[in-house]
Amino acid sequence: MKKQVLKLCGALLAVLYAGIMIFAAIYGKSEGVSGVFIVAGSALAIAYSLLAVFWHKKKIFLLIIGMAAISAGTLLNGFLQNNIHVQHHVVRFVVEGIIVAVSTLGG
């Protein structure tokens, strides 16, 4: 029962985070390649969640690659705007790590 709850929480957190990132990429200041990385990473996170919840297939590498793509896109966006806030990216990395950890523990 505990693993099912963790799996559902991990999938829900991944979809929520991916949705926020897609919204930020579309309506924010993400331009060009950085926006593509963010949207592609979010799509992988959503794909992981769909596979985990509906088809009971655990493809954690999709989530890890997706989160890495989101991080790369946000860092690239900061570089392109010459405005990088290191603390913001550290917090984002920790949040992404927590989502991956919860999803992995729900295995």
Side-chain angles (χ1 to χ4, degrees), residues 11 13-14 16-17 19 33 35 46 51 67-68 88 90 94-95 106:
L13 286 172
L16 182 65
Y17 185 73
V33 177
I46 291 171
L51 285 172
M67 293 297 179
H88 172 79
V90 169
V94 168
V95 168

Side-chain angles (χ1 to χ4, degrees), residues 7-51:
K7 179 174 80 170
L8 188 60
C9 285
L12 184 63
L13 286 172
V15 168
L16 182 65
Y17 185 73
I20 290 170
M21 293 311 302
I22 289 172
F23 179 80
I26 291 173
Y27 294 108
K29 298 178 182 176
S30 297
E31 25 185 79
V33 177
S34 63
V36 171
F37 270 99
I38 293 169
V39 171
S42 298
L44 286 174
I46 291 171
Y48 162 80
S49 298
L50 290 174
L51 285 172

Side-chain angles (χ1 to χ4, degrees), residues 51-70:
L51 285 172
V53 172
F54 294 114
W55 289 283
H56 305 292
K57 295 186 180 190
K58 203 75 166 129
K59 305 290 184 188
I60 196 69
F61 69 90
L62 287 175
L63 185 61
I64 293 170
I65 293 170
M67 293 297 179
I70 291 171

Side-chain angles (χ1 to χ4, degrees), residues 67-81:
M67 293 297 179
I70 291 171
S71 290
T74 56
L75 277 171
L76 183 60
N77 190 37
F79 281 126
L80 292 175
Q81 293 180 6

